[in-house]
Amino acid sequence: MTSQNLSGDSSTKILQTASRLFYEQGYHVTGINQVIAEAGVAKASFYHHFSSKEELCIAYLHKRHEDWFSWLQQEVEQNENDQERLLSLFTFLERWLPNSNFRGCAFLNIASEFPSPDSKIRLLVVDHKNALQDYIRQLVDRLNISPKKKNTAMLADLIYLLFEGAITKSQIYQSTGSIEAAREAVRQLIN
């Protein structure tokens, strides 16, 4: 996924405002007029940069993907030890989720509003989740676990499920307790 080339201050204001509103209150509840009013731009300016609300949401998801992956990789890659890199996925969650008021995954939140599997927006969610799974597989591959000892593809899938489950449970219970449990489960799986 790559971000669209956004020029000008008004497009940045629109995208920042829409990003906050889509994340905090959802796509369908957020109206174009609310985005325009809160961004402090003219309606003509909005339509100059974005032809529709769907196009704005697509730009939001591209930007969110880039920003979120940058945050995640910064947290993970600062560790020198391969095992600690993998476990730091959960440190990232402990920092991110409370700071977002446990709002959870922007992509899962949007996906719940677009049930059609061939929706452009739903396909971006799938792309994001595929990228996350690929990244976790890369982290598992770095561990150099012998295939005779463990099925690394299955291990990566289990870690992905624990990661997603920790996000969901944290969102529901407004707590980071499940993140520590998921980290400990991963620790046991890789040892």
Side-chain angles (χ1 to χ4, degrees), residues 10-182:
S10 60
S11 65
T12 301
K13 284 185 204 176
I14 293 165
L15 186 56
Q16 288 174 341
T17 303
S19 296
R20 178 179 51 80
L21 293 171
F22 289 160
Y23 187 63
E24 290 175 359
Q25 62 189 39
Y27 175 83
H28 290 306
V29 172
T30 302
I32 292 292
N33 290 335
Q34 182 184 12
V35 172
I36 290 167
E38 291 194 27
V41 298
K43 189 175 265 195
S45 181
F46 175 88
Y47 286 107
H48 172 74
H49 295 291
F50 302 98
S51 63
S52 66
K53 184 178 170 184
E54 180 184 53
E55 184 183 315
L56 177 60
C57 187
I58 288 168
Y60 156 64
L61 291 174
H62 281 292
K63 179 86 169 99
R64 181 71 184 201
H65 173 81
E66 287 178 2
D67 291 348
W68 189 88
F69 253 94
S70 176
W71 301 331
L72 177 67
Q73 289 173 326
Q74 241 178 345
E75 182 69 46
V76 170
E77 300 302 330
Q78 71 183 346
N79 295 285
E80 293 181 22
N81 177 290
D82 291 331
Q83 184 173 339
E84 288 305 313
R85 275 191 197 105
L86 186 62
L87 294 172
S88 69
L89 289 168
F90 299 93
T91 305
F92 169 78
L93 293 182
E94 287 172 328
R95 292 188 178 145
W96 164 48
L97 290 166
N99 288 332
S100 67
N101 295 318
F102 295 98
R103 186 69 184 107
C105 175
F107 290 87
L108 291 178
N109 294 342
I110 286 282
S112 69
E113 297 189 69
F114 290 88
S116 174
D118 55 349
S119 154
K120 287 180 187 177
I121 291 171
R122 183 69 173 235
L123 292 173
L124 288 175
V125 172
V126 171
D127 288 346
H128 172 76
K129 294 302 179 180
N130 287 341
L132 176 58
Q133 289 179 70
D134 290 343
Y135 185 59
I136 291 172
R137 280 189 200 104
Q138 291 169 19
L139 294 173
V140 169
D141 288 344
R142 288 184 192 175
L143 295 174
N144 293 320
I145 297 173
S146 167
K148 293 178 183 174
K149 289 175 102 176
K150 298 205 181 195
N151 179 336
T152 56
M154 181 182 283
L155 179 60
D157 286 345
L158 287 171
I159 293 168
Y160 169 75
L161 290 172
L162 287 165
F163 187 85
E164 291 289 354
I167 293 171
T168 301
K169 190 169 181 186
S170 292
Q171 183 178 17
I172 292 168
Y173 292 102
Q174 305 281 295
S175 165
T176 59
S178 62
I179 298 169
E180 181 54 42

